[in-house]
């Protein structure tokens, strides 16, 4: 617990699918928590649990020692920092930890913007999905000054959320997250294509997946996303549209570095085709459906999955719950 008088006051911006359980863990650990979300109703459960809700992001961060942002993109993070007045409202000497996903260049720009106002910054994107957020087992990839990351208060805070590793200076955390999403997106494609080939050839894809357990093809993607594929369960945990955004960020950063990433480019095209086919609201494992359609398999399954995802939340996310045993990356 962190109820002593030296415990930092925390502001949390963005309480969606990932942010809400992360913020709840901080509340449960005893931190004083101030929350804001563009859709105010998404802070209600946290406020009932003891958080202080605010009508604006600037109000939420005004008294914070540490601010955590869990926003959808670098563009939205920049909008919140500038147009919403957060950069001006942050106290000099306080710390801003951006845990959303964006391009490394954007993270460096945000760090420079904040440094000019005397505010410290870390970029700390995560992997582990909603289940990892709930359990406090997220993989946290951190970029920024070592002396800031190593502060006891920062270490204690991040430990509530998962396992944090500093990988370099500003922007490096986002670069590590892009590598993570490269591997996730590419491996989902390999698993989907392999299981469909097995089915096309007359083998039971569920049994093929089981047979590979413990072999060199074994992976978390085969275990979790492969199970979603054989169960035809594409309720959104990690959305297809977000996976494509991450792959596009990989390609943009690769171009800046003069690095060729042909496998990622191919997978980005396949995910784009899936979005063009209307699969964007589904889980990123639904690339399986795109590849199935190319092979004239499961022709009615995509329509059925999309019909079940039509119950939409106020920000456009399908409301179908994810099974507790199936974390997204």
């Amino acid at each position: 617990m962190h109820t002593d008088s030296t415990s930092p006051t925390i502001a949390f911006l963005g309480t969606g699918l990932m942010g809400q359980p992360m913020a709840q863990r901080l509340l449960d650990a005893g931190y004083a928590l101030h929350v804001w979300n563009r859709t105010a109703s998404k802070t209600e459960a946290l406020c009932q649990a003891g958080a202080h809700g605010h009508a604006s992001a600037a109000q939420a961060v005004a008294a914070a020692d540490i601010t955590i942002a869990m926003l959808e993109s670098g563009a939205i993070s920049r909008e919140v920092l500038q147009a919403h007045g957060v950069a001006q409202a942050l106290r000099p000497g306080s710390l801003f930890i951006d845990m959303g996903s964006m391009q490394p260049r954007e993270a460096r720009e945000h760090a420079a913007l904040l440094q000019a106002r005397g505010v410290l910054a870390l970029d700390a994107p995560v992997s582990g999905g909603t289940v990892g957020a709930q359990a406090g087992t997220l993989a946290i990839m951190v970029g920024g000054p070592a002396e800031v990351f190593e502060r006891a208060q920062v270490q204690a805070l991040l430990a509530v959320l998962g396992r944090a590793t500093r990988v370099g200076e500003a922007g490096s955390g986002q670069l590590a997250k892009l590598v993570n999403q490269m591997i996730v997106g590419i491996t989902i494609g390999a698993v989907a294509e392999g299981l469909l080939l097995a089915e096309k050839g007359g083998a039971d894809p569920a049994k093929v997946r089981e047979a590979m357990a413990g072999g060199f093809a074994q992976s978390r993607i085969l275990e979790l996303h492969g199970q979603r594929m054989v169960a035809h369960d594409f309720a959104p945990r990690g959305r297809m549209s977000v996976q494509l955004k991450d792959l596009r960020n990989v390609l943009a950063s690769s171009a800046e570095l003069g690095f060729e990433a042909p496998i990622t480019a191919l997978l980005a095209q396949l995910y784009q085709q899936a979005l063009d086919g209307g699969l964007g609201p589904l889980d990123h494992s639904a690339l399986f459906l795109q590849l199935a359609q190319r092979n004239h398999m499961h022709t009615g399954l995509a329509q059925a999955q999309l019909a079940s995802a039509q119950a939409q939340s106020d920000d456009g996310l399908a409301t179908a719950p994810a099974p507790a045993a199936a974390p997204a990356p």
Side-chain angles (χ1 to χ4, degrees):
M1 299 290 289
H2 298 271
T3 54
D4 62 271
S5 59
T6 64
S7 182
T9 297
I10 310 299
F12 203 107
L13 310 179
T15 56
L17 287 175
M18 290 291 292
Q20 196 281 334
M22 292 167 67
Q24 184 62 57
R25 285 195 60 83
L26 295 173
L27 268 180
D28 293 343
Y31 285 101
L33 193 67
H34 296 257
V35 296
W36 171 84
N37 193 74
R38 287 184 298 175
T39 304
S41 60
K42 292 191 174 183
T43 66
E44 289 177 359
L46 291 165
C47 291
Q48 291 173 3
H52 305 279
H54 293 271
S56 75
Q59 290 173 356
V61 307
D65 300 303
I66 300 176
T67 295
I68 295 175
M70 192 63 185
L71 303 167
E72 187 174 353
S73 68
I76 293 174
S77 184
R78 173 61 70 113
E79 177 186 344
V80 169
L81 282 170
Q82 293 187 315
H84 289 251
V86 165
Q88 288 186 325
L90 288 164
R91 292 188 299 101
S94 67
L95 171 62
F96 185 86
I97 307 178
D98 204 331
M99 303 190 79
S101 297
M102 64 190 69
Q103 294 184 33
R105 169 184 52 79
E106 293 175 309
R108 292 191 295 270
E109 290 171 353
H110 297 174
L113 170 69
L114 293 169
Q115 183 179 15
R117 302 194 61 84
V119 177
L120 304 171
L122 296 174
D123 54 287
V126 304
S127 180
T130 53
V131 171
Q134 292 163 1
T137 57
L138 293 170
I140 307 171
M141 295 154 270
V142 183
E147 62 272 18
V148 176
F149 172 71
E150 292 166 0
R151 290 182 177 182
Q153 288 185 337
V154 175
Q155 290 287 307
L157 175 70
L158 295 176
V160 174
L161 303 175
R163 177 181 55 82
T165 304
R166 180 182 175 272
V167 297
E169 297 299 330
S172 297
Q174 296 295 345
L175 186 61
K177 177 61 185 289
L178 291 184
V179 172
N180 183 87
Q181 294 307 91
M182 284 175 71
I183 294 171
V184 169
I186 291 167
T187 308
I188 284 175
V191 170
E193 196 166 89
L195 293 179
L196 285 164
L197 175 63
E199 181 179 347
K200 190 79 168 181
D204 180 343
K207 289 298 183 182
V208 170
R209 172 182 165 276
E210 181 183 332
M212 290 189 290
F216 278 178
Q218 174 64 29
S219 69
R220 290 286 285 169
I221 300 297
L222 178 63
E223 177 186 353
L224 299 176
H225 295 75
Q227 177 57 32
R228 296 175 195 177
M229 295 172 194
V230 300
H232 297 165
D233 173 15
F234 302 111
R237 293 85 162 177
R239 285 179 293 158
M240 181 85 70
S241 56
V242 174
Q243 179 69 66
L244 178 59
K245 178 208 74 174
D246 289 337
L247 294 182
R248 285 174 173 166
N249 282 343
V250 171
L251 294 173
S253 295
S254 296
E256 290 174 3
L257 295 170
F259 179 80
E260 187 177 357
I263 300 174
T264 302
L266 174 58
L267 266 293
Q269 291 178 18
L270 292 174
Y271 281 101
Q272 181 62 65
Q273 290 168 11
L275 261 69
D276 292 343
L279 302 180
L282 300 181
D283 188 80
H284 49 176
S285 60
L287 186 64
F288 176 93
L289 297 176
Q290 168 64 19
L291 296 173
Q293 289 176 327
R294 292 170 70 100
N295 287 282
H296 310 290
M297 300 166 67
H298 300 293
T299 53
L301 181 58
Q303 289 77 10
Q305 289 283 326
L306 286 167
S308 70
Q310 290 310 304
Q312 303 254 318
S313 69
D314 55 3
D315 64 353
L317 297 181
T319 56

